[in-house]
Amino acid sequence: MFIRSGLGWLSASPSSLFMNTIAFWTFLLLGCMCIGGYFMFRKFLKVLPKADGKSKLDWQNYWVERSRPLWSEEAKAFLDQLVQPVPGPFRDIAKHSIAAEIGRIAIESSATEVTRDHCIRGYISATPRRDSRFLIQFLEKNHIDYSPYRHLLK
């Protein structure tokens, strides 16, 4: 059906370009919501309590607070160097989880302060296995000897 207007004949149905644009934005927004939901679900799983009654985030906070007096300025600067390859928006979260692992290792070894050895060991054990290749590249690029910790990378 066509409608007569002052500009000429117009169709009563929308154009295919308009419909394709609507379909494109629908799929784009749906994809973004799925990606956001995935990350929200992962965060939700970290907050759920484990068998001991504490969540993964509770344990991270516990180890960070308990090891806070052990951190020297040199160890903090080395931790900042280790988290440099992490993208900016995720750097604080990565730094916190790596610091928790380093603190746990230092406390369990009854250390009086966090050393470079603790930092490297904690950095390797806190990094997911899927990122081991990038971790090795970063350590080699910065001339950090990780040979005593190769067993942690497997």
Side-chain angles (χ1 to χ4, degrees):
M1 167 183 247
F2 292 100
I3 301 172
R4 176 91 168 127
S5 72
L7 300 174
W9 291 95
L10 295 177
S11 172
S13 63
S15 70
S16 63
L17 177 64
F18 177 74
M19 294 305 290
N20 289 340
T21 304
I22 295 294
F24 169 76
W25 282 107
T26 300
F27 286 116
L28 181 71
L29 291 175
L30 186 62
C32 289
M33 286 190 298
C34 289
I35 292 168
Y38 169 74
F39 285 107
M40 287 176 61
F41 185 69
R42 283 183 54 199
K43 187 73 169 181
F44 171 73
L45 290 177
K46 285 185 177 183
V47 178
L48 287 177
K50 307 262 186 227
D52 60 2
K54 288 189 173 185
S55 69
K56 184 176 181 178
L57 292 177
D58 291 337
W59 278 113
Q60 284 181 356
N61 291 334
Y62 171 78
W63 289 116
V64 166
E65 289 303 317
R66 184 140 179 242
S67 67
R68 194 172 297 275
L70 304 178
W71 285 88
S72 65
E73 291 303 316
E74 180 185 335
K76 289 178 186 177
F78 189 58
L79 177 62
D80 287 336
Q81 179 187 357
L82 291 175
V83 296
Q84 282 304 312
V86 178
F90 308 107
R91 194 169 293 146
D92 288 339
I93 296 166
K95 186 176 178 180
H96 187 264
S97 63
I98 292 169
E101 185 66 19
I102 293 169
R104 183 188 66 78
I105 290 170
I107 289 171
E108 288 178 352
S109 67
S110 302
T112 57
E113 76 172 357
V114 173
T115 62
R116 194 173 177 95
D117 175 62
H118 295 128
C119 289
I120 296 170
R121 185 180 299 271
Y123 177 62
I124 290 172
S125 59
T127 303
R129 298 281 179 240
R130 66 180 179 269
D131 295 337
S132 290
R133 184 178 48 148
F134 299 111
L135 180 137
I136 291 169
Q137 287 175 353
F138 174 74
L139 292 174
E140 288 174 348
K141 184 179 109 182
N142 288 298
H143 308 292
I144 298 171
D145 181 29
Y146 64 94
S147 56
Y149 315 104
R150 283 196 189 273
H151 66 281
L152 296 174
L153 291 169
K154 298 192 184 321

